Tab-separated table of all heavy atoms in Angstrom:
chain	number	residue	atom	x	y	z
A	44	SER	N	-34.121	-42.474	-33.690
A	44	SER	CA	-33.397	-43.222	-34.683
A	44	SER	C	-33.851	-44.767	-34.652
A	44	SER	O	-33.880	-45.350	-35.729
A	44	SER	CB	-31.893	-43.185	-34.435
A	44	SER	OG	-31.453	-41.862	-34.630
A	45	ILE	N	-34.063	-45.251	-33.425
A	45	ILE	CA	-34.577	-46.622	-33.382
A	45	ILE	C	-35.915	-46.720	-34.032
A	45	ILE	O	-36.151	-47.682	-34.799
A	45	ILE	CB	-34.556	-47.067	-31.921
A	45	ILE	CG1	-33.177	-47.049	-31.264
A	45	ILE	CG2	-35.149	-48.483	-31.804
A	45	ILE	CD1	-33.156	-47.342	-29.747
A	46	ALA	N	-36.804	-45.779	-33.673
A	46	ALA	CA	-38.204	-45.869	-34.232
A	46	ALA	C	-38.150	-45.848	-35.766
A	46	ALA	O	-38.807	-46.644	-36.449
A	46	ALA	CB	-38.914	-44.675	-33.683
A	47	ASP	N	-37.229	-45.033	-36.292
A	47	ASP	CA	-37.124	-44.853	-37.752
A	47	ASP	C	-36.622	-46.157	-38.333
A	47	ASP	O	-37.102	-46.703	-39.335
A	47	ASP	CB	-36.163	-43.725	-38.096
A	47	ASP	CG	-36.215	-43.368	-39.582
A	47	ASP	OD1	-35.544	-44.069	-40.370
A	47	ASP	OD2	-36.958	-42.407	-39.959
A	48	ALA	N	-35.570	-46.712	-37.732
A	48	ALA	CA	-34.991	-48.003	-38.222
A	48	ALA	C	-36.038	-49.132	-38.209
A	48	ALA	O	-36.142	-49.956	-39.093
A	48	ALA	CB	-33.753	-48.383	-37.462
A	49	TYR	N	-36.859	-49.155	-37.115
A	49	TYR	CA	-37.829	-50.240	-36.982
A	49	TYR	C	-39.005	-50.040	-38.032
A	49	TYR	O	-39.408	-51.026	-38.604
A	49	TYR	CB	-38.359	-50.291	-35.556
A	49	TYR	CG	-37.529	-51.007	-34.567
A	49	TYR	CD1	-36.120	-51.268	-34.864
A	49	TYR	CD2	-37.974	-51.377	-33.367
A	49	TYR	CE1	-35.330	-51.941	-33.947
A	49	TYR	CE2	-37.208	-52.117	-32.472
A	49	TYR	CZ	-35.853	-52.339	-32.731
A	49	TYR	OH	-35.056	-52.992	-31.910
A	50	ALA	N	-39.451	-48.844	-38.150
A	50	ALA	CA	-40.494	-48.556	-39.144
A	50	ALA	C	-40.046	-48.926	-40.570
A	50	ALA	O	-40.739	-49.494	-41.327
A	50	ALA	CB	-40.989	-47.148	-38.990
A	51	ARG	N	-38.789	-48.479	-40.813
A	51	ARG	CA	-38.244	-48.779	-42.156
A	51	ARG	C	-38.150	-50.292	-42.325
A	51	ARG	O	-38.347	-50.820	-43.489
A	51	ARG	CB	-36.878	-48.191	-42.259
A	51	ARG	CG	-36.283	-48.185	-43.682
A	51	ARG	CD	-34.950	-47.384	-43.768
A	51	ARG	NE	-34.550	-46.612	-42.611
A	51	ARG	CZ	-33.475	-46.937	-41.959
A	51	ARG	NH1	-32.704	-47.943	-42.236
A	51	ARG	NH2	-33.108	-46.197	-40.861
A	52	ALA	N	-37.887	-51.046	-41.283
A	52	ALA	CA	-37.773	-52.520	-41.398
A	52	ALA	C	-39.114	-53.238	-41.372
A	52	ALA	O	-39.242	-54.406	-41.384
A	52	ALA	CB	-36.842	-52.992	-40.335
A	53	GLY	N	-40.177	-52.440	-41.314
A	53	GLY	CA	-41.557	-53.005	-41.454
A	53	GLY	C	-42.299	-53.276	-40.182
A	53	GLY	O	-43.338	-53.872	-40.187
A	54	ALA	N	-41.717	-52.954	-39.041
A	54	ALA	CA	-42.364	-53.247	-37.721
A	54	ALA	C	-43.538	-52.347	-37.482
A	54	ALA	O	-43.723	-51.261	-37.995
A	54	ALA	CB	-41.381	-53.075	-36.608
A	55	ARG	N	-44.560	-52.887	-36.657
A	55	ARG	CA	-45.604	-52.074	-36.141
A	55	ARG	C	-45.221	-51.602	-34.831
A	55	ARG	O	-44.700	-52.389	-33.953
A	55	ARG	CB	-46.885	-52.890	-36.103
A	55	ARG	CG	-47.318	-53.430	-37.396
A	55	ARG	CD	-48.245	-54.673	-37.247
A	55	ARG	NE	-49.506	-54.347	-36.621
A	55	ARG	CZ	-50.215	-55.228	-35.943
A	55	ARG	NH1	-49.761	-56.453	-35.846
A	55	ARG	NH2	-51.366	-54.886	-35.408
A	56	LEU	N	-45.413	-50.264	-34.461
A	56	LEU	CA	-44.749	-49.658	-33.357
A	56	LEU	C	-45.812	-49.106	-32.306
A	56	LEU	O	-46.776	-48.503	-32.746
A	56	LEU	CB	-43.889	-48.570	-33.759
A	56	LEU	CG	-42.671	-48.920	-34.648
A	56	LEU	CD1	-42.042	-47.630	-35.216
A	56	LEU	CD2	-41.677	-49.632	-33.875
A	57	LEU	N	-45.548	-49.279	-31.090
A	57	LEU	CA	-46.111	-48.498	-30.013
A	57	LEU	C	-44.999	-47.644	-29.322
A	57	LEU	O	-44.057	-48.174	-28.758
A	57	LEU	CB	-46.844	-49.344	-28.919
A	57	LEU	CG	-47.428	-48.599	-27.744
A	57	LEU	CD1	-48.406	-47.548	-28.219
A	57	LEU	CD2	-48.076	-49.573	-26.802
A	58	LEU	N	-45.132	-46.316	-29.553
A	58	LEU	CA	-44.050	-45.408	-29.139
A	58	LEU	C	-44.463	-44.770	-27.812
A	58	LEU	O	-45.556	-44.337	-27.597
A	58	LEU	CB	-43.787	-44.329	-30.153
A	58	LEU	CG	-43.555	-44.750	-31.521
A	58	LEU	CD1	-43.376	-43.538	-32.467
A	58	LEU	CD2	-42.305	-45.597	-31.594
A	59	SER	N	-43.481	-44.666	-26.830
A	59	SER	CA	-43.801	-43.976	-25.592
A	59	SER	C	-42.733	-43.040	-25.066
A	59	SER	O	-41.540	-43.159	-25.430
A	59	SER	CB	-44.092	-45.148	-24.499
A	59	SER	OG	-44.557	-44.502	-23.322
A	60	ALA	N	-43.203	-42.052	-24.365
A	60	ALA	CA	-42.381	-41.062	-23.635
A	60	ALA	C	-43.352	-40.258	-22.773
A	60	ALA	O	-44.580	-40.659	-22.853
A	60	ALA	CB	-41.655	-40.183	-24.596
A	61	ARG	N	-42.976	-39.280	-22.095
A	61	ARG	CA	-44.000	-38.550	-21.303
A	61	ARG	C	-44.871	-37.611	-22.159
A	61	ARG	O	-46.056	-37.543	-21.853
A	61	ARG	CB	-43.309	-37.743	-20.160
A	61	ARG	CG	-42.942	-38.525	-18.966
A	61	ARG	CD	-42.104	-37.713	-18.080
A	61	ARG	NE	-40.889	-37.097	-18.864
A	61	ARG	CZ	-40.062	-36.284	-18.318
A	61	ARG	NH1	-40.107	-35.918	-17.096
A	61	ARG	NH2	-39.066	-35.843	-19.069
A	62	HIS	N	-44.266	-36.885	-23.097
A	62	HIS	CA	-45.006	-35.811	-23.687
A	62	HIS	C	-45.701	-36.254	-24.983
A	62	HIS	O	-45.010	-36.921	-25.869
A	62	HIS	CB	-44.007	-34.681	-23.981
A	62	HIS	CG	-43.457	-34.097	-22.696
A	62	HIS	ND1	-42.210	-34.480	-22.279
A	62	HIS	CD2	-43.955	-33.265	-21.807
A	62	HIS	CE1	-42.013	-33.859	-21.062
A	62	HIS	NE2	-43.089	-33.137	-20.799
A	63	ASP	N	-46.948	-36.004	-25.053
A	63	ASP	CA	-47.820	-36.443	-26.155
A	63	ASP	C	-47.464	-35.806	-27.524
A	63	ASP	O	-47.371	-36.554	-28.479
A	63	ASP	CB	-49.291	-36.265	-25.820
A	63	ASP	CG	-50.227	-36.968	-26.762
A	63	ASP	OD1	-49.871	-38.103	-27.129
A	63	ASP	OD2	-51.191	-36.401	-27.119
A	64	ALA	N	-47.289	-34.461	-27.505
A	64	ALA	CA	-47.163	-33.761	-28.789
A	64	ALA	C	-45.999	-34.314	-29.617
A	64	ALA	O	-46.126	-34.638	-30.801
A	64	ALA	CB	-47.030	-32.254	-28.598
A	65	PRO	N	-44.745	-34.416	-29.047
A	65	PRO	CA	-43.659	-34.964	-29.869
A	65	PRO	C	-43.912	-36.400	-30.317
A	65	PRO	O	-43.500	-36.797	-31.420
A	65	PRO	CB	-42.370	-34.835	-28.899
A	65	PRO	CG	-42.882	-34.252	-27.682
A	65	PRO	CD	-44.290	-33.994	-27.744
A	66	LEU	N	-44.582	-37.128	-29.433
A	66	LEU	CA	-44.850	-38.554	-29.865
A	66	LEU	C	-45.799	-38.578	-31.066
A	66	LEU	O	-45.561	-39.331	-32.003
A	66	LEU	CB	-45.639	-39.262	-28.646
A	66	LEU	CG	-44.705	-39.840	-27.550
A	66	LEU	CD1	-45.628	-40.387	-26.407
A	66	LEU	CD2	-43.817	-40.936	-27.997
A	67	GLN	N	-46.833	-37.773	-31.014
A	67	GLN	CA	-47.789	-37.680	-32.063
A	67	GLN	C	-47.104	-37.232	-33.403
A	67	GLN	O	-47.317	-37.801	-34.492
A	67	GLN	CB	-48.960	-36.740	-31.832
A	67	GLN	CG	-49.798	-37.060	-30.638
A	67	GLN	CD	-50.721	-38.252	-30.946
A	67	GLN	OE1	-50.760	-38.830	-32.033
A	67	GLN	NE2	-51.513	-38.661	-29.898
A	68	GLY	N	-46.206	-36.250	-33.288
A	68	GLY	CA	-45.509	-35.726	-34.416
A	68	GLY	C	-44.554	-36.859	-35.062
A	68	GLY	O	-44.607	-37.066	-36.295
A	69	LEU	N	-43.869	-37.561	-34.207
A	69	LEU	CA	-43.030	-38.675	-34.671
A	69	LEU	C	-43.864	-39.750	-35.347
A	69	LEU	O	-43.485	-40.302	-36.440
A	69	LEU	CB	-42.220	-39.191	-33.514
A	69	LEU	CG	-41.279	-40.361	-33.793
A	69	LEU	CD1	-40.199	-39.939	-34.771
A	69	LEU	CD2	-40.643	-40.848	-32.491
A	70	ALA	N	-44.986	-40.140	-34.716
A	70	ALA	CA	-45.793	-41.229	-35.245
A	70	ALA	C	-46.326	-40.813	-36.615
A	70	ALA	O	-46.349	-41.644	-37.550
A	70	ALA	CB	-46.947	-41.481	-34.334
A	71	GLY	N	-46.741	-39.477	-36.743
A	71	GLY	CA	-47.272	-39.094	-38.016
A	71	GLY	C	-46.176	-39.153	-39.140
A	71	GLY	O	-46.508	-39.634	-40.211
A	72	GLU	N	-44.949	-38.709	-38.757
A	72	GLU	CA	-43.862	-38.735	-39.744
A	72	GLU	C	-43.534	-40.179	-40.227
A	72	GLU	O	-43.417	-40.419	-41.389
A	72	GLU	CB	-42.614	-38.250	-39.056
A	72	GLU	CG	-42.246	-36.794	-39.089
A	72	GLU	CD	-41.021	-36.523	-38.200
A	72	GLU	OE1	-40.076	-37.291	-38.236
A	72	GLU	OE2	-41.106	-35.549	-37.435
A	73	LEU	N	-43.455	-41.047	-39.191
A	73	LEU	CA	-43.030	-42.429	-39.575
A	73	LEU	C	-44.123	-43.198	-40.311
A	73	LEU	O	-43.795	-43.836	-41.305
A	73	LEU	CB	-42.746	-43.193	-38.292
A	73	LEU	CG	-41.473	-42.751	-37.513
A	73	LEU	CD1	-41.302	-43.496	-36.208
A	73	LEU	CD2	-40.208	-42.833	-38.273
A	74	SER	N	-45.341	-43.041	-39.950
A	74	SER	CA	-46.412	-43.753	-40.678
A	74	SER	C	-46.523	-43.236	-42.078
A	74	SER	O	-46.782	-44.000	-43.007
A	74	SER	CB	-47.734	-43.799	-39.964
A	74	SER	OG	-48.137	-42.513	-39.548
A	75	ALA	N	-46.309	-41.896	-42.273
A	75	ALA	CA	-46.432	-41.403	-43.612
A	75	ALA	C	-45.213	-41.890	-44.446
A	75	ALA	O	-45.349	-42.274	-45.622
A	75	ALA	CB	-46.437	-39.864	-43.612
Side-chain angles (χ1 to χ4, degrees):
S44 296
I45 298 172
D47 190 280
Y49 279 16
R51 192 173 353 115
R55 296 158 68 206
L56 297 170
L57 175 57
L58 307 178
S59 189
R61 278 170 310 176
H62 298 98
D63 191 40
L66 279 173
Q67 296 287 359
L69 178 62
E72 270 171 44
L73 294 176
S74 49

